[in-house]
Amino acid sequence: MRVASLLPSATETLFALGVEPVGVSHSCDHPPAARDLLTLTSTVVDHADRSAADIDEQMREVDGAVYDLDEDRLAALDPDLLVTQATCDVCAVDASEVRAAAARLDPAPEVLALDPHSFRDALDDVERVGTAVGEAAAASDLRADLRERVDAVRERAERAVAEEGRPRVAVLDWTDPPIRAGHWVRDMVEIAGGDPAFQPDGPSEPVAWADVREFDPEVLVVAPCGFARDRAVDAVGDLADRPEFDDLRAVADGRVYAVDGNALFNRPSHRLVDSLEALFACLHPEHAATAPADRDRTVRVDPPTPSVRADGG
């Protein structure tokens, strides 16, 4: 089957099931082999070396679609199936546009639009994708392995909560403006043994800095959408310039983490289980099987001193 993936999380899942897409989106970068495939999308937003505030401003100023689909390239690939998403309008080509483009092809490919809104939804999509591409058995095996790993985290978290309680947790997937991570993240915080009250029960949403201060998280996880770990560290600096940042309990206790958002949290693929394990290590390091600071994807960040902050004070 010839499959085109317009969604990074779907590309990750397809490779995990042993299916190499014939074409992918410009954002598909995992596994590394995905970077060598023909790209079918582009964006007018320039992310390279741009601040969170600059990227946000560009997104707001776009007149029309944020992402473009190259229909000529798509037609040349003659796909049997297009995999896209309907969860987030700023994460990929709009699903309605994909369906319209598919209808213009001859023959028209099937369209699978993934729309996860919870942790379980995201993991169940592994089997949806597997069934669609004729790899139901491989998908079932992968889903079983994921379930086992989640259960292991859940069991350790229950023991940790019994001993330590649930720390107040704030997970941000953008910093300027601050946006609290929604969809599957609330579920993940709860499973990992944290207090999920800060995370919305729905899509990610902007949050006033005053509300962050009032919640006063004991653990702060910064996982900006589309940013790798080093840029997530820079994003923590955005927050450090805000009033009373140093007064947050998470800052005082040295429990601020910068996370590779591309690898963890942002993409609803099977790798959300990696994210869950990393989150548990941040919340309950004494009970985790791995160190709380995975140097490749997650790092504990000491707040910058006043002398190195952007405002100089």
Side-chain angles (χ1 to χ4, degrees):
M1 174 178 286
R2 298 177 62 78
V3 184
S5 172
L6 307 180
L7 183 65
S9 59
T11 298
E12 295 175 8
T13 299
L14 287 166
F15 270 96
L17 298 178
V19 177
E20 182 173 306
V22 295
V24 294
S25 81
H26 66 283
S27 299
C28 294
D29 56 11
H30 182 85
R35 301 170 185 168
D36 298 328
L37 300 178
L38 184 69
T39 56
L40 299 170
T41 67
S42 59
T43 180
V44 296
V45 177
D46 182 9
H47 295 80
D49 300 321
R50 300 299 184 98
S51 69
D54 188 9
I55 294 171
D56 181 73
E57 183 177 0
Q58 290 184 66
M59 295 289 286
R60 293 175 184 275
E61 292 180 350
V62 171
D63 183 14
V66 175
Y67 299 98
D68 293 316
L69 175 62
D70 191 324
E71 293 192 33
D72 290 337
R73 283 188 176 185
L74 181 62
L77 290 177
D78 191 24
D80 302 302
L81 176 69
L82 294 180
V83 186
T84 186
Q85 61 91 43
T87 305
C88 176
D89 291 340
V90 299
C91 292
V93 179
D94 183 85
S96 61
E97 294 183 21
V98 174
R99 291 191 180 94
R104 288 190 286 269
L105 299 181
D106 186 18
E110 295 291 327
V111 176
L112 174 62
L114 305 177
D115 191 20
H117 292 277
S118 68
F119 185 65
R120 181 172 181 173
D121 287 347
L123 299 190
D124 285 348
D125 276 347
V126 169
E127 293 189 280
R128 289 190 65 205
V129 172
T131 299
V133 299
E135 295 292 344
S140 179
D141 289 344
L142 176 56
R143 184 67 177 89
D145 176 69
L146 297 173
R147 187 178 298 110
E148 185 175 310
R149 290 169 59 191
V150 172
D151 287 345
V153 172
R154 197 188 304 273
E155 291 173 6
R156 292 199 301 269
E158 289 174 355
R159 292 194 295 269
V161 170
E163 293 181 19
E164 305 167 353
R166 289 183 178 271
R168 297 185 304 277
V169 182
V171 181
L172 300 178
D173 60 19
W174 204 250
T175 53
D176 197 356
I179 296 178
R180 50 185 166 189
H183 294 302
W184 43 86
V185 174
R186 185 182 178 96
D187 299 336
M188 291 167 61
V189 171
E190 184 167 12
I191 294 170
D195 177 356
F198 182 78
Q199 311 307 141
D201 186 15
S204 298
E205 63 182 19
V207 60
W209 179 245
D211 292 334
V212 179
R213 296 203 319 265
E214 182 179 357
F215 183 71
D216 192 21
E218 296 170 276
V219 181
L220 175 61
V221 178
V222 178
C225 189
F227 279 14
R229 192 202 67 181
D230 290 347
R231 293 193 67 189
V233 172
D234 294 338
V236 173
D238 294 339
L239 297 177
D241 289 331
R242 293 183 177 271
E244 301 179 34
F245 175 81
D246 293 338
D247 295 333
L248 294 178
R249 178 69 179 273
V251 177
D253 290 350
R255 303 190 71 186
V256 178
Y257 296 92
V259 177
D260 180 342
N262 264 338
L264 303 174
F265 291 97
N266 302 159
R267 297 178 178 179
S269 76
H270 62 288
R271 292 206 295 165
L272 278 186
V273 176
D274 295 347
S275 308
L276 177 68
E277 292 168 342
L279 179 62
F280 177 65
C282 294
L283 304 191
H284 298 286
E286 298 300 321
H287 293 262
T290 57
D294 182 330
R295 303 302 295 184
D296 292 331
R297 297 175 180 172
T298 304
V299 61
R300 187 181 63 80
V301 181
D302 292 322
T305 60
S307 61
V308 299
R309 290 187 184 171
D311 61 5

